[in-house]
Each structure stands twice: as structure tokens, then as C-alpha cells.
Amino acid sequence: MSVSGPHRLDELAGRGGKWLGLSAAAPERHSGAVVADRFDRIAWRDTCEQSAGLRELAGELSDRYDHAGDLLADTFLAAYKARPRLREPAEMDPSRLVNHQVVSSLVASPEFTELHRETAGDPYAAAMAVLAQAAALRGLLERTRQAREQAGRQQRAQRDVADAADAVSEALRRAAADAEADGTVPGPAADAVEQAIQAAEASEAAARRAARDAAQALAAVAPGIGAAARTSAAQAAAAVREEAALMRAWGVGSGELERLPFGRRALLAERLRTGRLAQWAELIGRFRQMAGGERARRVENATGELVGVTLGDDLSRVIPSELANLGLPELRAVFAVRYAAGELMLYDSQGEQATGRGAIIACVDTSHSMYEAGPGGITREAWAKACALALLDQARHAGRDFVGILFSAADRLKVFRFPADEPAGIARTLDFAETFLGGGTSYQRPLSAAADLLEEEFNDASRRRGDIVMITDDDCGVTEEWTRAWNEAKHRLGFRLFGVAVGAPRVAATDSVLDTLCDNLRAVEDLTDVHAAADLFRVI
């Protein structure tokens, strides 16, 4: 349409005024649905640099789908941030509105709340959550392909509107430059303004149609997005929870995990998932939980029931009337004499009492027969190692050294030492748990090694009253000469020997070799029952 003759500038400006400054007035559009600051973006970038899995996933999806990288970043940040907040849809770049719908559905699901408890503030766990949702994200990207294409057309249409608005502004600028002193604009310049306005109006109408089509396409896929997001969050929560439980079962605390570099933590998780005892993590966790409960029930220095008064020199059980003598200077000498003679009046009790103060030593049979599985498919080895790891916890809780001795035949022995004043270290703990020697069974070699270690401890630190726990499924003989030496060492060092016959009751039968050697012996037939060893953790 052509403008006939000259036109006044103010009239042209009135018609094209709505387009002036349109680009400048447009709200800022964002590519990320999750509100993130600089530090959040650094966390995402650093995590990607450390995680080969994330880099591979981002590369794969970005090659096939537009803006997939932004969706991965949003998924990570939603899991990582303590209080994730989403932008309003109006703030989003139209091409990312599908991403916004996906993340909104994810965050709104009850399953995400469970997931977020495990991932908030932990970039490794958040990255694991993203990787756990990889299959679901692929499916969502494919399912929403048409909606994304429509959103892309909407974005392009909005850019066309902005370009058309700029063209109107430019045409008005030129018209102003050509205008006469009285404001009259020559015909060609006025025509150019009119044509620019018509083009802008056409672009605006096309943008409205594109926005309507994009909204319809998004509405069509929204229910599917919601269902898929809930399933995705549930899968991620299960994966993250499983790894967290695995770490806890092996005694790796959250504080220790946070200090581990990303790569080492990933390698540790892989080792725990694929190691020799990986399938028995739940058993190990139950053992440790049971042992912790038994420790909580135990009252130090008063484990038995009070039954009266006796004589002795145990100052922790002195009755109040005896202690009162210390308050009178003239009776302190009498107290000292009675103490030296072991004639102080003490509370008497009956029941088991924890007397061990030296090292706790677990001698674990790793002969071929320990491969055998019992109820629930649990092997004798798995039960024995789980019990030994709980004994390691017991030692560390009491500030005592722990030694794990793995044995089988007389020529096969491996010793793992865990001093009380040094961190146990998950790597060494795993080495101990995963080592299996095979072969036959010899009692003499591991028990002699245990006695030698307690002798060494006595010589170095003057500590006596250690505890040895022998876990085996086989019976074997010992020589008379060895037995004499063993009894002498036991009397000299004051240690106790606890025996556990795993899956083989005959080994704990009366008058068996183990029965003769042990101060306390029990047989465990149901390998699913960790409480069969509960009394060990009350008296050791």
C-alpha cells in the first residue's frame, strides 16, 4: 500500500509508535529453568569436567536434540541446590519452554522430594541423579521433539517481530531526516514507513499463531511429561539411595564422602558395587547396625545384675561407705591397706561383663568350604566378613586396636592391622573384606599369630586382656605342645577366645577342639540372623 502524496511526520510516528523501542522493552529471556547464581554454574561446569559420564551424555543428547545441554544443567541444579526455584514461563526463551515443563514436573513430584534429600548440596550425588535419569531424559526429548520444533518456530517468529520493529524504527528515522521544516514527509519516505509497519504487523500475527501452536503442542505432551518425570525421579532416587546405603553399610560416612575428590569417590562406588561382597552390603549394614544397638544397651562397668556385696580391689564398684573413709584423714591409711589386700567392700553383680582392653582380633576362615551358602543364599564367608567388620567398628568405638587375620591352610595367612590411633581407611577395609585365600583349615597358625600380636602389644604398651574371635566352619586338630604354649600365653596375657562355628554346628560340639580352646563358643546356622552374634558385642 502506497501513501498518496506527502504525509506529516507526527502522523507516521503515531502509526508506528508501538514498534519504537520494542526490542529494548522486551523482558529478558532465560535458557535455564532453574534460577542459578555464578557459583551454581561453576558447580555444574566443574562436575561436568570431572564426570566422564556426564560429558558423554551431554555430547550424545546435544548431537540429537536442541537445547539438551540446558535440560541436563537444569536437572542437575534442581537436585543440587538446597532450595531450587524455577523461573516463571514468561521469563523463559520460548525454545526452552519444553525444558521448563520437564523440570517443573520433575520438581513437583513426590519422588523428587525423596531424591532431593540425598542430593542437596552434594554435586556427586546430583550428577549421579542425572545419569540415573539418562534413559528417561532420552525418552522425554524424543517424545517432545515435535513440541520443541514448534517452540523453535515460535522463537524464530518472535525474532522476526523484533527485526520488523527495528525496520519500522529505521524507516521512521529516515522519514524524520527527510522531513521538511513543517513536518511534511515526502511520499517515498512515507511509503517506506507504511511498508515497514505492515511487515511488522504481519510478523506479529505470525508470532501469535506460532505461540498458539507451540502452547497447544506443549499442552498435548504435558501429561506424558509429568508421568515420565515422576518415574524418572523415582528411578534416580532408588539409584542414589542404593549407593548411599552401600556407602553406609561399608562405614563410609557422609563427611568422609564430601572430602573425597569426585574421581576417587566414583572409583570407590564402582568398587563397592562390583566387589566380592557387593551383594552382601545389606547384611554388612545390618550387622553394623545390630552391633551399634548392642553397644548402646551396654552399661560400662555394670553389665550384670547387683546381687550383694563382696570383697576386692575394683575401685569402680566400691560401696559409698568405703569411699567415705577417704574423707577422714585418720582412715585413709586403713583404706589403702584394705585396697592393697583386696578387701574393700564392693557391689557384687552377676552376668557378662566387658573386660577386654587390648586389641580385638578377628580370625576369619577363608578356606574353600566358606564358599558354601546357607539360608537366603548368604555364604559363610559373607556372614564371617560382616561379623568381622562389625568387630572393627566395635574396636574403633572403644579406642582399641583391631587386627583382621584371614587364614586357611597352615601356609596361607594374611594380616590386616587397624591401629586405634589411625583412620581405618575404606581402601584397606575393602582389601581385608575382599581377600579370600582358599585351601584347607589350620587353627594353630592364625591363633599363634593372634597371640604373638597380643604379646607384642603387651611389650609395647603394657596392655593385656585382648579379645580373639575365631570364625570358622571346620574342625581341625592341634598338637599337645602347641596347646601348652597357647595356654601359657593366654594365662600370661589374660586374653579371651570367642568361637563362632558358621553353618557347621558339629564344629561347636561339646569336646570339639574349638570347644576346648574357647572361653565362649556358639554355632550359627541361620546366616540371615545377625542377632545370633549379638552377645559378642555386649561382652567384647
Side-chain angles (χ1 to χ4, degrees):
M1 177 178 178
S2 175
V3 178
S4 56
H7 214 83
R8 291 191 58 80
L9 181 61
D10 54 355
E11 294 175 354
L12 293 174
R15 293 201 61 221
K18 68 171 288 188
W19 307 102
L20 296 178
L22 182 64
S23 298
E28 182 183 2
R29 303 293 182 172
H30 296 276
S31 60
V34 179
V35 177
D37 59 26
R38 180 168 61 93
F39 298 104
D40 297 328
R41 289 188 289 271
I42 289 173
W44 165 242
R45 185 177 66 246
D46 289 350
T47 304
C48 281
E49 289 175 357
Q50 296 176 73
S51 172
L54 275 183
R55 292 196 303 274
E56 291 171 4
L57 180 62
E60 173 205 338
L61 296 183
S62 296
D63 287 343
R64 299 178 59 189
Y65 307 101
D66 292 336
H67 317 307
D70 292 328
L71 177 59
L72 291 182
D74 279 333
T75 306
F76 170 86
L77 292 172
Y80 171 69
K81 287 177 65 67
R83 294 179 178 84
R85 182 169 65 86
L86 301 188
R87 301 187 190 281
E88 293 298 324
E91 300 178 79
M92 298 297 298
D93 187 299
S95 62
R96 270 70 164 194
L97 282 172
V98 178
N99 286 358
H100 186 279
Q101 180 68 46
V102 170
V103 178
S104 297
S105 299
L106 176 67
V107 172
S109 67
E111 293 81 3
F112 177 80
T113 302
E114 183 180 354
L115 169 65
H116 192 248
R117 279 197 291 267
E118 301 286 351
T119 60
D122 186 342
Y124 175 89
M128 184 181 174
V130 174
L131 293 173
Q133 296 176 86
L137 291 173
R138 288 189 192 96
L140 280 167
L141 287 166
E142 184 61 35
R143 183 179 301 156
T144 59
R145 185 189 290 274
Q146 184 176 355
R148 288 172 178 279
E149 291 173 352
Q150 194 62 55
R153 284 192 283 272
Q154 179 187 0
Q155 181 189 40
R156 290 190 293 274
Q158 288 186 344
R159 282 201 299 264
D160 291 342
V161 171
D163 291 343
D166 289 341
V168 172
S169 297
E170 178 62 20
L172 285 171
R173 185 189 65 78
R174 290 179 179 174
D178 293 343
E180 302 292 342
D182 62 356
T184 301
V185 178
D191 286 345
V193 171
E194 182 63 31
Q195 290 169 7
I197 291 172
Q198 291 175 2
E201 291 173 343
S203 295
E204 184 180 42
R208 283 197 297 268
R209 290 193 299 273
R212 184 184 63 246
D213 293 343
Q216 291 174 347
L218 182 57
V221 297
I225 289 176
R230 289 192 296 274
T231 301
S232 174
Q235 291 172 344
V240 174
R241 190 170 55 248
E242 180 182 348
E243 181 164 308
L246 188 63
M247 293 292 183
R248 286 193 294 268
W250 284 97
V252 186
S254 57
E256 184 178 355
L257 285 177
E258 290 172 3
R259 292 190 295 271
L260 279 177
F262 191 99
R264 286 181 57 192
R265 184 169 170 181
L267 289 174
L268 172 60
E270 180 65 18
R271 183 176 181 185
L272 292 180
R273 281 194 296 268
T274 60
R276 182 180 184 85
L277 297 182
Q279 62 180 312
W280 310 123
E282 189 268 341
L283 173 69
I284 294 168
R286 285 196 292 121
F287 241 111
R288 285 179 145 154
Q289 186 176 22
M290 176 274 293
E294 294 302 321
R295 282 195 298 272
R297 290 175 52 195
R298 184 173 63 187
V299 179
E300 293 294 337
N301 299 320
T303 56
E305 177 186 0
L306 293 176
V307 295
V309 176
T310 186
L311 300 179
D313 61 359
D314 187 348
L315 295 178
S316 67
R317 294 191 290 132
V318 174
I319 67 175
S321 61
E322 285 278 29
L323 290 174
N325 292 336
L326 288 175
L328 301 173
E330 61 272 20
L331 294 180
R332 288 174 185 167
V334 176
F335 183 93
V337 171
R338 289 166 61 80
Y339 172 66
E343 295 178 352
L344 294 174
M345 286 189 289
L346 314 175
Y347 285 121
D348 193 15
S349 63
Q350 66 181 11
E352 295 171 320
Q353 185 159 346
T355 61
R357 288 297 179 269
I360 296 176
I361 300 178
C363 297
V364 180
D365 189 348
T366 60
S367 60
H368 283 310
S369 59
M370 293 290 283
Y371 278 127
E372 188 171 332
I378 297 173
T379 65
R380 296 173 179 178
E381 178 203 6
W383 194 97
K385 296 283 183 64
C387 183
L389 290 172
L391 288 169
L392 168 59
D393 289 347
Q394 189 86 347
R396 302 202 74 76
H397 185 270
R400 300 167 67 182
D401 290 350
F402 176 81
V403 181
I405 298 178
L406 304 180
F407 70 93
S408 55
D411 60 341
R412 297 186 182 183
L413 189 86
K414 195 166 181 62
V415 177
F416 294 84
R417 305 183 74 158
F418 298 86
D421 58 355
E422 298 177 9
I426 183 61
R428 184 155 180 79
T429 302
L430 282 170
D431 289 341
F432 165 59
E434 293 178 349
T435 298
F436 193 88
L437 303 176
T441 304
S442 167
Y443 284 179
Q444 292 186 185
R445 178 83 188 280
L447 290 177
S448 293
D452 290 344
L453 287 167
L454 292 176
E455 181 90 51
E456 178 185 328
E457 182 181 38
F458 175 72
N459 294 334
D460 291 345
S462 299
R463 285 199 294 268
R464 300 174 71 248
R465 300 183 346 200
D467 292 309
I468 302 172
V469 181
M470 182 80 163
I471 309 175
T472 183
D473 70 340
D474 203 358
D475 197 10
C476 67
V478 293
T479 66
E480 183 178 344
E481 180 182 1
W482 180 88
T483 302
R484 280 198 300 269
W486 169 261
N487 288 333
E488 289 172 3
K490 188 176 180 185
H491 176 74
R492 183 173 66 257
L493 300 173
F495 60 77
R496 299 176 296 180
L497 177 62
F498 297 82
V500 184
V502 186
R506 60 179 176 75
V507 175
T510 303
D511 296 330
S512 67
V513 174
L514 204 58
D515 178 58
T516 302
L517 293 174
C518 290
D519 301 288
N520 183 306
L521 177 63
R522 86 271 349 268
V524 177
E525 296 183 66
D526 182 1
L527 302 186
T528 64
D529 182 15
V530 300
H531 293 279
D535 64 313
L536 281 176
F537 300 94
R538 290 196 296 270
V539 299
I540 291 180

